[in-house]
Amino acid sequence: MFRHTKMLQFEAKPAGPDPLYARKLQELIGGAYGEMTVTMQYLFQGWNCRIEGKYKDLIMDTATEEIGHVEMLATMVARLLEGAPATATAEAAKDPVMAAVLGGMDPQQAIVSGGGAVPADSNGTPWNGKYIVASGNLLADFRANAAAEAQGRLQTARLYNMTDDPGVKDMLKFNLARDTVHQKQWLRAIEELQADGLESDIAPNDLFDVEDQTHNNTIWHLSDGPDGNKGGWATGEDRIEYLMDPEALGGPGTAPEPDPALYATHADGTRPAEGDVETYYADGRWKNQVVGNSRASSTGEKKAEAQAQGRELARKRGVTHVVRRKDGEIAEKHDYGK
């Protein structure tokens, strides 16, 4: 059961109307990291929480507060729109040409909501329930919550510097403070989950014995930037190994032949069978790989050398040898089937 109190959590009175800024404030209402998002995120996390007690109570307390933040911002938007669009024009758009360019208030605020806030972002894009994270795993959710509050505080800080209205600034000072404490509470709640033995560092706390142990402590150097391995994550006792010259573990990403009814363009015979040998170019080297295996059988600097190795391997296995050009297209096929 929810009960509404008519008093705002904090005052929302601008010094004067400003339709253009009202449109900007819509981001804090219906944007991806706006108050509607954290409201619904926390509500569904609370409703999905399987543990009665401190964690669920914290989530529901914060969720209910966020409903009030939506109301505060909606009230501020309505007051910034007072008299618009008939008699008030945004200070930044007094010139008729600039008014046309800047757009002033969101047309939806005049056409749909009658001079009030709308459940949308600053571009008028409707709020989307896909913005929220409510997985049922408290560690994963609390980390998402801390990130959402960080993004929300960042946007609030930017908007704080976009207005000189003292009433708007006063409300945003309050919002900044609440975003600060919400970040702190979720980070401390994460620590408490670990102290209570409910979660560890990794979410979910399971299947560690199932995952491929070869790949759970490596970072692949896959960009031109050379300094990734200089970070603290790659040094010290608990460092993650930085693979500076990683090799692809799979073969070419060739899609299977399509259903004829889909009429997708394709060339017959381009897909080698399981067990065939492919000679192909990747990561600056020529490689041979048995189709179906995760690693290359051999590599070489020159195509002729790799092609000879692939041909010999195909002969020994009694399979087809497929030779690809650098662009991945098939250049040659030789069948050594017995």
Side-chain angles (χ1 to χ4, degrees), residues 26-45 70 118-135 140-141 143-149 151-152 155:
Q26 282 289 158
E27 195 65 35
L28 298 188
I29 295 176
Y33 298 104
E35 301 291 359
M36 288 184 64
T37 293
V38 288
T39 294
M40 298 308 295
Q41 181 156 308
Y42 301 161
L43 283 173
F44 275 90
Q45 287 179 9
V70 177
V118 293
D121 66 14
S122 52
N123 279 328
T125 305
W127 182 82
N128 193 321
K130 287 292 185 181
Y131 294 156
I132 76 166
V133 176
S135 69
D141 284 353
R143 284 177 172 164
N145 294 352
E149 294 287 353
Q151 293 291 343
Q155 294 179 358

Side-chain angles (χ1 to χ4, degrees), residues 176-239:
L176 286 166
R178 300 311 295 165
D179 288 343
T180 295
V181 74
H182 289 164
Q183 287 185 59
K184 292 193 293 186
Q185 75 180 41
W186 296 127
L187 293 173
R188 292 182 186 179
I190 290 170
E191 294 177 358
E192 188 126 341
L193 281 172
Q194 296 170 327
D196 288 343
L198 296 173
E199 296 290 347
S200 63
D201 288 332
I202 305 299
N205 184 22
D206 194 15
L207 301 180
F208 297 117
D209 57 336
V210 173
E211 67 187 22
D212 190 333
Q213 301 296 311
T214 307
H215 304 294
N216 65 4
N217 201 50
T218 57
I219 299 173
W220 289 29
H221 172 59
L222 296 173
S223 72
D224 288 339
D227 296 331
N229 64 340
K230 297 177 182 178
W233 48 84
T235 60
E237 185 177 344
D238 296 326
R239 67 182 180 274

